[in-house]
Amino acid sequence: SLKFRGGYDDSLDGVGVHGAAGVVGTLLIGVFATKSVNPSITYDGLVHGHAHLLGVQALAVICTIAWAFSVTYLLATVVQRTIGLRVTDAHELEGLDTALHAESAYDVGNTRPVRIGS
């Protein structure tokens, strides 16, 4: 619902699915990590009395979001100024399969009930 309140266009819900799950999962590593499961880590997580790893994970989340936003903004700006990011309203209403590919993904006009049995 934040997508609609914020007014940003994310038709595939990449931010809501991958972004939110990635942030939560990354931070929870800093909460639950333990050397008994992974001896290669330097610090246990917050549940085991150490907050350092949670801080490292939080910094990683902030840096990753900043990097992803910056690169995406740069690429989107280049695409917008060259070929454009959006299709026309007419193409969107017609359907992109028909407008851009001259195909129909779903043939809903010729549907009729299927009779099973005799």
Side-chain angles (χ1 to χ4, degrees):
S1 67
L2 290 175
K3 174 172 74 170
F4 299 111
R5 279 190 259 154
Y8 68 92
D9 186 9
D10 184 12
S11 58
L12 298 177
D13 286 328
V15 173
V17 175
H18 299 285
V23 167
V24 170
T26 301
L27 291 175
L28 288 179
I29 289 171
V31 174
F32 294 111
T34 177
K35 292 181 196 176
S36 65
V37 173
N38 184 359
S40 68
I41 62 173
T42 308
Y43 299 98
D44 285 327
L46 187 64
V47 169
H48 303 286
H50 301 279
H52 181 77
L53 184 58
L54 180 59
V56 170
Q57 295 297 102
L59 180 61
V61 165
I62 292 167
C63 291
T64 302
I65 290 171
W67 172 258
F69 180 83
S70 301
V71 171
T72 301
Y73 187 82
L74 175 69
L75 291 174
T77 301
V78 169
V79 170
Q80 177 62 33
R81 290 184 181 179
T82 55
I83 62 173
L85 282 172
R86 303 283 311 209
V87 296
T88 64
D89 289 341
H91 283 160
E92 197 164 351
L93 287 173
E94 178 184 356
L96 298 184
D97 292 327
T98 306
L100 299 180
H101 306 292
E103 297 178 352
S104 177
Y106 307 100
D107 189 14
V108 295
N110 296 324
T111 58
R112 54 192 150 129
V114 176
R115 184 176 222 176
I116 299 175
S118 54

